[in-house]
Amino acid sequence: QVQLVESGGGLVQPGGSLRLSCAASGSIFRVYTVNWYRQAPAKQRDLVATITSTGNTNYADSVKGRFTISRDNAKNTVYLQMNSLKPEDTAVYYCNLRTSLANYWGQGTQVTVSS
């Protein structure tokens, strides 16, 4: 069983930065790929960034060059550094870990980009 807890969301002005954290329970965390998704009101949940167990990363085109995903396996934590934020980045951000048996989600953290 894995529990994921996101934190770090909030209200920020356009051009600002936030760092989201996803803290995981369970020792299996370090051997799996972890994803960040986001969901804006009345829209589907979209994949934002991915990091594998070995640290390989991938990003949605809309966030490339602005967001950075990283992980600290010693702390069972994945981070999403978000820079140059835009109003269209406003969404609830979710951490996700998928195994062959289950698909785990956190409760989400709200990010609002507005002046």
Side-chain angles (χ1 to χ4, degrees):
Q1 185 74 11
V2 175
Q3 290 186 324
L4 303 173
V5 179
E6 302 96 334
S7 62
L11 173 64
V12 63
Q13 292 186 342
S17 298
L18 283 174
R19 188 176 81 156
L20 306 184
S21 298
C22 171
S25 65
S27 59
I28 69 169
F29 170 83
R30 62 196 63 193
V31 302
Y32 283 99
T33 293
V34 178
N35 310 296
W36 281 101
Y37 283 78
R38 68 185 180 186
Q39 187 168 20
K43 293 191 175 181
Q44 67 181 19
R45 191 171 295 188
D46 292 327
L47 181 62
V48 174
T50 294
I51 186 164
T52 68
S53 60
T54 56
N56 293 319
T57 59
N58 198 22
Y59 300 92
D61 288 343
S62 59
V63 307
K64 278 181 183 176
R66 301 188 298 122
F67 289 13
T68 302
I69 189 171
S70 61
R71 68 191 300 161
D72 184 339
N73 286 338
K75 296 183 178 180
N76 273 10
T77 301
V78 169
Y79 304 98
L80 185 68
Q81 177 67 43
M82 306 186 296
N83 299 328
S84 302
L85 282 161
K86 305 175 181 181
E88 51 264 42
D89 295 317
T90 295
V92 178
Y93 284 71
Y94 296 92
C95 185
N96 166 259
L97 184 152
R98 191 175 296 116
T99 73
S100 60
L101 298 177
N103 195 14
Y104 299 99
W105 294 92
Q107 83 289 351
T109 186
Q110 175 70 48
V111 171
T112 302
V113 184
S114 175
S115 55

